[in-house]
Each structure stands twice: as structure tokens, then as C-alpha cells.
């Protein structure tokens, strides 16, 4: 819950020629001790991974900034899965993309939206609560992006099913990962 975050810090993130400001919880470890988080972990192994700015998120932001979006049919609609603090989606906004930030944690969505506004984007994005283990029906995107989505192998099949459900025919997907074992299984399943 939002009240679990008692203090935030602002981090300046340099990606290529771009500079972004990202607000995040100051003490990620304190969240792990919050009663709601402990209860959610006991019920569903929930961990608030979104509170950290992971290296794979920086890697994805770099890929988003380098992608030749001008060759894509306009408008370019992007779904960021497990957006966390929203860095990659904000990079997409900087390139003129229409971004939907999605995450299982609604506090993460609030941070992603606030970070988009902090970087000067009052429009061009929306948020959507999404547990990728339960793919939504009916809405497809030409581009899906995500970083650090597979901490465990049990998340691979749900992510593949999500991509099958939300990636438009002929669409593209950018997923970054620090080469965990689950990511290798993910690549094999995609093939």
C-alpha cells in the first residue's frame, strides 16, 4: 500500500543522450518488513521488486531509445509489462510513443505515472493494473516491453501466454533480463 513507503529519493538516470529523474522508495528493505507485504508474500510469494531501479530496466530504456521507431506504423502503442518505476516507458514517451504502464502493484503504477509527469509527460500514457499470470482479453499492442520479469522459472509460462494474448499480429517485443536461468527457458519457449 502507498502508506508503506515513508520516504522517497530522487535519482538522476543517464541513458545515452537522455537524462531522466526517477523517484523511488528510499528504503526498499523496510518494505519487506511491512505487514501487508509479509501477508502478500505468504499468500502468493509477492515481493515488491518494483521499488528498485534494476540494471535490466536501464538496459531496456537504452534499447527503447535506440529503436528505429520512425519505421513503425503510427501511432506506436506500447505496453510496458511489470513497469515498476517506469523508466523504460518514460524512455518510450521521450521517443514519442503512446505508453501503457502495467504492473501487478498499483503503488508501482502510481510511481510510474508520477515519474512520467516528473519528466515532463502529462499526457501520452495511461496505467493499467495487470498480473501477467492473468492475461487480459481483447486489447493488443504492436509493441510490448518489459525488464526483469522472470525472477523464477514459474513465471515463464505465464509471460509467454501474456505475450500470446496482448502482442498484436506482426508486433514486436523487447524484453531484457540479466541472463537468469529462467530467461534461458523463456527464450526456448518463445522459439
Amino acid at each position: 500500500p502507498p502508506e508503506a513507503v515513508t520516504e522517497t529519493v530522487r535519482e538522476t538516470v543517464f541513458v545515452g543522450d537522455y537524462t531522466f529523474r526517477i523517484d523511488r522508495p528510499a528504503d526498499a528493505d523496510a518494505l519487506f518488513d511491512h505487514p501487508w507485504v509479509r501477508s502478500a508474500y505468504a499468500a502468493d510469494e509477492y515481493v515488491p521488486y518494483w521499488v528498485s531501479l534494476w540494471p535490466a530496466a536501464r538496459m531496456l530504456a537504452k534499447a527503447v531509445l535506440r529503436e528505429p521507431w520512425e519505421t513503425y506504423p503510427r501511432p506506436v502503442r506500447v505496453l510496458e509489462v511489470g513497469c515498476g518505476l517506469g523508466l523504460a516507458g518514460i524512455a518510450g514517451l521521450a521517443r514519442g510513443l503512446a505508453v501503457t504502464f502495467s504492473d501487478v502493484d498499483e503503488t508501482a503504477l502510481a510511481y510510474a505515472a508520477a515519474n512520467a509527469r516528473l519528466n515532463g509527460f502529462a499526457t501520452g500514457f495511461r496505467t493499467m493494473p495487470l498480473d501477467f499470470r492473468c492475461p487480459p482479453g481483447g486489447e493488443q499492442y504492436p509493441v510490448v516491453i518489459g525488464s526483469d520479469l522472470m525472477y523464477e522459472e514459474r513465471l515463464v509460462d505465464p509471460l509467454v501466454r501474456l505475450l500470446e494474448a496482448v502482442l498484436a499480429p506482426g508486433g514486436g517485443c523487447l524484453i531484457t533480463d540479466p541472463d537468469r536461468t529462467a530467461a534461458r527457458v523463456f527464450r526456448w519457449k518463445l522459439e
Side-chain angles (χ1 to χ4, degrees):
E3 64 271 10
V5 179
T6 57
E7 186 180 347
T8 61
V9 295
R10 181 164 292 162
E11 186 171 336
T12 301
V13 181
F14 301 98
V15 184
D17 294 333
Y18 292 81
T19 302
F20 301 107
R21 292 172 296 159
I22 301 294
D23 284 348
R24 61 176 176 75
D27 188 0
D29 291 336
L31 285 177
F32 291 92
D33 292 329
H34 190 276
W36 185 91
V37 173
R38 286 178 177 239
S39 175
Y41 181 81
D44 192 29
E45 296 184 25
Y46 167 82
V47 177
Y49 291 122
W50 68 269
V51 302
S52 298
L53 191 54
W54 298 97
R58 295 170 191 264
M59 203 172 17
L60 181 58
K62 185 184 246 183
V64 167
L65 291 170
R66 289 183 175 176
E67 186 71 14
W69 299 113
E70 60 279 355
T71 64
Y72 286 63
R74 294 286 172 179
V76 181
R77 292 177 47 247
V78 176
L79 173 66
E80 183 177 7
V81 177
C83 69
L85 297 165
L87 178 63
I90 294 166
L93 291 169
R95 289 294 314 274
L97 311 179
V99 175
T100 297
F101 294 103
S102 73
D103 202 290
V104 69
D105 193 307
E106 291 191 36
T107 305
L109 292 175
Y111 269 82
N115 283 330
R117 289 188 292 275
L118 177 64
N119 285 279
F121 303 104
T123 62
F125 70 90
R126 68 185 184 105
T127 62
M128 178 174 65
L130 174 67
D131 181 339
F132 69 73
R133 298 172 300 175
C134 306
E139 191 165 4
Q140 293 190 316
Y141 295 81
V143 178
V144 177
I145 63 174
S147 64
D148 258 336
L149 299 172
M150 297 158 287
Y151 290 90
E152 302 168 42
E153 195 171 321
R154 71 183 175 95
L155 300 173
V156 169
D157 286 333
L159 182 56
V160 170
R161 284 192 299 276
L162 174 77
L163 293 175
E164 290 172 341
V166 300
L167 190 60
C173 183
L174 299 171
I175 303 285
T176 58
D177 186 272
D179 202 28
R180 290 185 182 93
T181 303
R184 295 175 194 154
V185 174
F186 174 70
R187 283 192 299 270
W188 174 75
K189 297 251 180 175
L190 286 179
E191 290 173 5

